[in-house]
Amino acid sequence: MRSLRRHATTLILVALAAAAAVALLVLDRGSVSTDEAERRRKNLFEAWRPDEITELTVTMASPGAPQTARLTRGEVNDAGQRPWNVEIDGQRYLADEPTVDQLLGTLEFATAERRVSAEAADAAVLGLASPRLTIALAMGPRRERLLLGGSAPTPPGAVYAEVAGRGVFVITKQLAAALDIPPDRLRSRSFVPYLASELSGLTLDGDGGPRRFSRAPWGGGRGAGFRFAEGSPEGSGVRVSAEVMDRVLSALGRLQAEGFLPEEVAQQAAASGGPRVTLTLLPSDPSAKPGVIELGGACPDRPDHVVAVRREPTRAAACVHESALDPLTEDASRFVDLALVGAPLDEVAEVKLAVGDRGEGGARSLELARAGSEWHLRAPEDRPVPTETGRALVQAILDVRATRLLPTASDPRALGLDLPRASLRVLSTPAESPREGEPQERIETLEIGAEQAGVVHVRRLEDGAIAEIPAAAAGALLPSEVSLRSMQVFDFPPDRISALRVERPGLVQRLRRTGDGAWQLVEPSGEGLAADNALAEELAELLGGLKAERWVAPDPGQGYGLAAPRLVVEAELSPAPGPGDAAARAARVEIGARAGAGSFARAGHGAAVFVAPPAFEAAAGRLLLRRDVFAVAPEDIARVTLTPASGKPVVIEASPGGFTVAGAADLASATSAAAGVRDALADLRAEGAVALGKPEQHHGLTPPRLRIAVDLARPAAAPAEGGAGAARPPGGSFTIAIGAGDAFRGTNVVYARRDGVNAVYAIAQSRVRPLLEAAGVAAAAAPAGPR
């Protein structure tokens, strides 16, 4: 007790000092330190403490009543953020966080051009008595207020601004524009009340018909986790295409209000066209109301926008971009998932095939698993598998699509599914974290029936759907050990190829490499025909490095279109360098029926079947004829005569001053047109030869639309043996005929023929257009279709 009395005075003094410190701290929070004042002496606000800002009010003058938005900061949420809310006309909304952040950033770094003296700071004269914009904020104990008034004389576009307690300043046009944010823009533009992850289902009515979707028990990210709801004509529980549903969910994410509308204006606009789509969002939270949004009707003063009216859970109306309607108006049939397996490649972890013993060689299995980016074979043996091979096998399974889904009431026995010949199990792990209650892994099992009349029926156990697929496509669902071969079919340098032979029905092409490495055309023979070095070399490179897109079967049997191949490519190979070389001296590829973008193929008689890439067939399927038979150097031209099918000939002559149109009255325009013809002839390279011999009727060359006669300045010698191009006709002139328009390998072309060359070519319309225009011929015809 005596000890306590002895220290009482000290304890009291310490307590008083602590209280004084707290009081000083509280009182000092509103003051500005010397360092802070010096650091911000050029800023409009002498203090800025973003963590202490709790309220922001923006008031904008308008012809009617002023518009005011009052922003308040919420409590810390699960993400550790303090979101802003905004109150406008007595209604509370979520604030548009990026716009609020932009406004606060502008205020933090706002500086003045100059200060206005107290004597000249007449509020009425400077437009500050009735400011066009007022911004007030609460920052801890401090209260700040900024007013924007009338225009200042300099710099151009400058504005007077007053900061309460500090004085009047002049700010730049740019700063004033950045602060001049209409209160309505501080409101969140997000129009959809729920995130995709918060939905248990959704419905679409209107354009596209009624579509009902619900969450599926197998889960999956975004659109992968939906099925048709009970009672849907497409089949209750049938899986929805993840790709199509993703487009719907992305459209909802993009459904941003570009401008809010008074409800009466929205109602009038919507009534004028009627809602095209009514969207109903069903939240997972049973206590939450469904979201109902109607879209349709022209938006006032926004031609590429439509009206969106949200009925529930809160009412709002806005203009949204019309592109949001496209995925929401897809027909119900487009939502049906025709893929046999729904998981994407990067989520697949295991594949297991089990083939039953039904007189087809006994029971067998194949099991493949992934660890990271690597693949490993577990059965029928244990060994690693090249990454490229594993990915190709799995991708081939994922690429199989049904031609149609059968009614679930179909008789399994009649479809060969009462005792399936095989089952395929695919295990995947979703990349996104599963929603509460969803499985950590997705297991998809397919039951595969026997072939019946060229088709195979497959049952997806995940949703019970029965799919019908072509028998050729079913091979990808029954991978064998051949499927795990290296994807490399051939691997030799193209310069080892000494000869090429390409055969297709009705045509054989043979080329031989000359001593200087160029290519000589052996077959077909004909006037003016020569090999195109670039095309032949491209085919040689693709053949030498040929890779399978996937391996299909160890033996083609009578299937895959290989009993009578559409295309055969053979190559003679020179010996590989090095002593004792036993490398192959020939290579052969047969191409059969199409398999998606590629084609079934085999490397020689009786070899295993693989899918060849489309680029290989495209290169082998071309006429390997030289493509520059039409081009002529400007210095070789003496005269060009353009004769259209109907109209007068146009003669263009070379002179020391350049090319010009003979007899033209307007020398300037004639010189320009003549130069265009000169340049077009120099660049007149064909996309490729399309036919040998005489032209057919659809080529439009008998008679041609335009005939181009080229007289040369001097006769040119014929090319050397195996050289480039066709010999020019005696007399130093030749003629080009331009025919009908079409499409060739994705390019708009016209057919063309040159005398002295026994073939019809396709030339890009863009290369011929200057010649047609100079001759006054109408633009090339629209393409008739690909060839």
Side-chain angles (χ1 to χ4, degrees):
M1 185 65 70
R2 286 195 301 268
S3 175
L4 182 60
R5 286 197 297 268
R6 189 166 57 248
H7 294 290
T9 302
T10 303
L11 293 172
I12 292 170
L13 291 174
V14 170
L16 290 173
V22 171
L24 182 62
L25 177 63
V26 172
L27 292 172
D28 193 54
R29 284 179 61 199
S31 64
V32 180
S33 68
T34 303
D35 288 345
E36 189 175 18
E38 176 59 27
R39 195 169 58 248
R40 297 188 56 82
R41 60 188 177 86
K42 293 184 178 180
N43 296 97
L44 291 180
F45 297 104
E46 59 182 353
W48 192 264
R49 298 157 192 174
D51 292 339
E52 297 182 16
I53 299 175
T54 56
E55 186 175 320
L56 181 69
T57 302
V58 178
T59 301
M60 179 174 285
S62 64
Q67 298 176 348
T68 298
R70 178 174 171 267
L71 292 140
T72 53
R73 209 163 203 170
E75 298 299 324
V76 177
N77 59 18
D78 294 339
Q81 305 294 322
R82 295 179 61 196
W84 288 92
N85 297 297
V86 62
E87 183 180 314
I88 301 174
D89 296 332
Q91 297 291 322
R92 283 178 63 84
Y93 310 99
L94 290 175
D96 188 66
E97 296 284 341
T99 304
V100 176
D101 288 343
Q102 177 185 337
L103 176 58
L104 290 174
T106 302
L107 292 170
E108 178 180 3
F109 298 106
T111 58
E113 284 292 290
R114 64 182 182 275
R115 181 186 288 271
V116 178
S117 66
E119 295 79 12
D122 187 319
V125 173
L126 303 183
L128 294 167
S130 301
R132 73 186 201 193
L133 180 69
T134 302
I135 300 175
L137 59 90
M139 186 166 54
R142 294 183 65 87
R143 296 296 182 266
E144 303 285 2
R145 193 166 66 119
L146 171 67
L147 311 178
L148 296 193
S151 300
T154 59
V159 171
Y160 289 111
E162 180 181 357
V163 179
R166 293 203 70 195
V168 178
F169 303 87
V170 172
I171 63 173
T172 63
K173 173 184 178 181
Q174 291 76 16
L175 175 56
L179 294 170
D180 205 1
I181 297 176
D184 203 44
R185 276 188 52 198
L186 295 167
R187 175 180 172 182
S188 173
R189 297 190 300 120
S190 181
F191 201 74
V192 178
Y194 303 114
L195 300 174
S197 59
E198 298 172 333
L199 298 179
S200 65
L202 69 151
T203 69
L204 297 167
D205 290 290
D207 289 10
R211 290 141 291 166
R212 307 283 185 268
F213 311 112
S214 62
R215 282 284 179 187
W218 53 79
R222 290 184 62 79
F226 285 87
R227 60 183 176 178
F228 283 94
E230 185 175 352
S232 295
E234 295 71 28
S236 297
V238 169
R239 197 169 70 203
V240 168
S241 166
E243 180 183 355
V244 180
M245 183 57 76
D246 270 343
R247 290 201 290 270
V248 170
L249 299 180
S250 296
L252 299 187
R254 298 194 311 270
L255 205 61
Q256 301 287 312
E258 299 299 327
F260 289 95
L261 297 172
E263 189 159 335
E264 59 274 12
V265 175
Q267 297 287 9
Q268 293 170 4
S272 64
R276 290 185 55 189
V277 176
T278 298
L279 168 68
T280 304
L281 305 173
L282 306 174
S284 302
D285 183 354
S287 65
K289 289 183 177 182
V292 180
I293 299 174
E294 295 176 353
L295 296 112
C299 212
D301 303 321
R302 291 178 183 263
D304 54 351
H305 287 66
V306 295
V307 172
V309 179
R310 188 174 65 219
R311 304 292 185 188
E312 296 286 351
T314 58
R315 299 185 70 85
C319 291
V320 300
H321 200 276
E322 64 182 1
S323 61
L325 281 172
D326 294 338
L328 304 181
T329 54
E330 290 274 20
D331 186 78
S333 61
R334 295 273 296 138
F335 286 86
V336 176
D337 190 3
L338 296 177
L340 275 293
V341 176
L345 175 63
D346 292 338
E347 294 181 6
V348 174
E350 294 180 9
V351 173
K352 184 176 181 179
L353 170 72
V355 180
D357 184 0
R358 299 186 64 194
E360 300 178 15
R364 71 179 193 274
S365 66
L366 183 145
E367 190 170 347
L368 189 68
R370 183 173 64 181
S373 61
E374 303 299 319
W375 291 91
H376 197 93
L377 185 66
R378 291 177 178 169
E381 59 178 311
D382 191 282
R383 63 178 173 86
V385 171
T387 299
E388 183 182 39
T389 302
R391 287 180 65 88
L393 184 152
V394 177
Q395 187 64 64
I397 294 172
L398 304 186
D399 286 343
V400 178
R401 295 287 188 275
T403 52
R404 65 183 180 123
L405 296 186
L406 275 62
T408 53
S410 301
D411 182 8
R413 182 184 295 274
L415 302 175
L417 290 169
D418 54 330
L419 293 173
R421 63 167 162 164
S423 65
L424 183 68
R425 177 180 180 270
V426 178
L427 183 148
S428 58
T429 54
E432 298 180 14
S433 299
R435 290 157 31 98
E436 185 176 352
E438 288 184 348
Q440 299 292 317
E441 296 177 334
R442 181 179 182 183
I443 297 176
E444 300 179 69
T445 302
L446 307 179
E447 292 180 344
I448 304 165
E451 180 181 343
Q452 296 180 335
V455 300
V456 171
H457 295 102
V458 179
R459 179 161 44 204
R460 295 189 308 219
L461 296 191
E462 186 173 70
D463 63 349
I466 297 176
E468 184 177 281
I469 62 174
L477 302 177
L478 300 166
S480 62
E481 288 189 70
V482 72
S483 308
L484 299 173
R485 287 185 177 185
S486 167
M487 309 309 291
Q488 198 74 49
V489 179
F490 294 126
D491 189 12
F492 52 79
D495 57 9
R496 276 195 63 199
I497 299 179
S498 58
L500 281 169
R501 183 179 186 276
V502 183
E503 181 180 356
R504 68 187 191 197
L507 176 67
V508 174
Q509 297 184 84
R510 290 196 297 128
L511 295 87
R512 185 166 299 279
R513 201 186 287 273
T514 62
D516 60 358
W519 290 93
Q520 178 185 8
L521 184 68
V522 178
E523 189 179 358
S525 59
E527 184 183 15
L529 301 183
D532 189 294
N533 279 318
L535 293 181
E537 201 61 33
E538 179 187 3
L539 178 57
E541 289 180 3
L542 289 170
L543 179 63
L546 182 62
K547 283 186 175 183
E549 292 201 334
R550 63 181 173 92
W551 290 96
V552 177
D555 190 300
Q558 296 301 310
Y560 306 106
L562 290 166
R566 294 185 294 114
L567 198 60
V568 178
V569 180
E570 296 177 305
E572 295 178 14
L573 306 181
S574 59
D581 176 67
R585 299 296 300 274
R588 175 185 173 94
V589 177
E590 300 174 359
I591 295 178
R594 299 197 180 279
S599 297
F600 293 114
R602 61 180 174 181
H605 298 294
V609 181
F610 63 94
V611 174
F616 178 73
E617 182 177 350
R622 305 184 70 154
L623 285 169
L624 304 176
L625 301 180
R626 186 147 192 155
R627 292 168 292 173
D628 60 354
V629 297
F630 299 96
V632 56
E635 60 271 18
D636 291 343
I637 299 174
R639 181 183 298 101
V640 177
T641 303
L642 306 173
T643 306
S646 58
K648 296 181 179 179
V650 177
V651 178
I652 296 170
E653 297 177 331
S655 67
F659 287 78
T660 188
V661 178
D666 186 343
L667 185 60
S669 60
T671 302
S672 175
V677 170
R678 173 202 64 199
D679 295 342
L681 288 172
D683 191 41
L684 205 58
R685 180 182 180 86
E687 298 298 303
V690 296
L692 294 170
K694 294 182 179 180
E696 299 178 15
Q697 185 175 358
H698 74 272
H699 293 145
L701 291 164
T702 51
R705 184 195 314 180
L706 176 65
R707 192 178 300 277
I708 306 166
V710 181
D711 296 321
L712 302 174
R714 56 183 183 276
E721 180 71 17
R728 291 176 183 152
S733 65
F734 64 91
T735 302
I736 299 169
I738 302 296
D742 206 337
F744 176 76
R745 296 182 182 270
T747 300
N748 291 335
V749 299
V750 293
Y751 293 117
R753 185 177 174 89
R754 173 186 152 162
D755 56 6
V757 181
N758 194 28
V760 177
Y761 287 79
I763 304 177
Q765 291 185 12
S766 59
R767 296 179 186 267
V768 177
R769 189 169 293 114
L771 302 169
L772 296 171
E773 290 174 349
V777 179
R787 293 189 179 275

